[in-house]
Amino acid sequence: MTTTQLEAPVMAVRPFARLGADTRYVLTGFPVALAALTLCVTGFSLGLGLAVVWAGVPILAATLMWARGFAAVERARLGLANPVYRTGTGVRRMIAPLADPRAWRDLAHAILRFIPSTVAFSFVVSWYAGILGGLTWGLWGWALPGGNGDDDLPELLGLGDSYGTAVGFYLVAAVILALTLPAVTRGAARLEAGFARALLGRA
């Protein structure tokens, strides 16, 4: 399911399907963002540094082509059509990306997408981890330093220091996280998709 389907009316998509699609979009976007950042920053820096001796020009052109590939992947995830890029023949074909504004927007997205992707990924993973940890805390919380309830968060909040209180507290926290999980994953997916649409969805 693409994020185009994520934008469908609430009644058109089952809640669990929407949650799964949002989660998948965010979790798969982070490694792609990491790869795009690494390759494109490296290529752009190297090409820019060597541009004064012209050796960097083909490197810059190749970097823009890499960015185009990452942009194509993201457009596919969003359900967007790929634009028509500038082309040429011979040497002009190699340097055509350097004169194409779309190519530079692709590069900007490849380098900067790591920011919204990291934010979105962090929230979604934290919520899932909090739910899993809260639901199972009673099975392993005793093994933590102070896991018998002493100096634990419930005690610091004035709820008592018994182990049972701690188990109940984290169960309630897990339920709250589970209830807010759809909204959090939805917001995270919208953040990442909105950034991509702003740069890649323009003609």
Side-chain angles (χ1 to χ4, degrees):
M1 180 178 292
T2 67
T3 52
T4 297
Q5 293 168 294
L6 299 183
E7 301 299 325
V10 174
M11 296 301 295
V13 182
R14 291 175 297 176
F16 285 108
R18 183 187 300 280
L19 176 61
D22 288 339
T23 300
R24 182 168 59 252
Y25 177 75
V26 172
L27 296 187
T28 57
F30 180 75
V32 175
L34 183 60
L37 177 71
T38 302
L39 287 174
C40 291
V41 166
T42 301
F44 179 72
S45 301
L46 182 61
L48 196 63
L50 296 176
V52 292
V53 293
W54 294 100
V57 173
I59 297 177
L60 283 174
T63 302
L64 291 173
M65 294 302 294
W66 294 340
R68 182 184 300 185
F70 285 113
V73 171
E74 190 60 26
R75 289 190 183 99
R77 279 161 35 94
L78 288 169
L80 299 175
N82 284 314
V84 177
Y85 292 92
R86 293 186 182 182
T87 58
T89 57
V91 177
R92 290 185 179 181
R93 182 177 182 180
M94 182 186 70
I95 64 175
L98 300 176
D100 193 338
R102 296 181 184 86
W104 291 102
R105 287 202 297 269
D106 291 348
L107 180 63
H109 176 261
I111 293 175
L112 298 177
R113 67 175 292 179
F114 186 72
I115 299 172
S117 292
T118 300
V119 173
F121 181 85
S122 298
F123 270 96
V124 171
V125 169
S126 296
W127 247 250
Y128 274 104
I131 293 170
L132 180 61
L135 291 176
T136 62
W137 196 90
L139 301 177
W140 50 266
W142 57 269
L144 299 174
N148 58 358
D150 296 336
D151 300 323
D152 212 344
L153 182 57
E155 183 185 5
L156 295 176
L157 294 175
L159 300 177
D161 60 356
S162 69
Y163 189 71
T165 298
V167 172
F169 174 83
Y170 289 116
L171 281 175
V172 171
V175 171
I176 294 174
L177 290 175
L179 292 175
T180 57
L181 179 64
V184 170
T185 55
R186 184 72 165 160
R190 283 183 178 273
L191 172 67
E192 190 168 348
F195 179 81
R197 288 178 184 278
L199 285 174
L200 304 180
R202 298 164 57 187

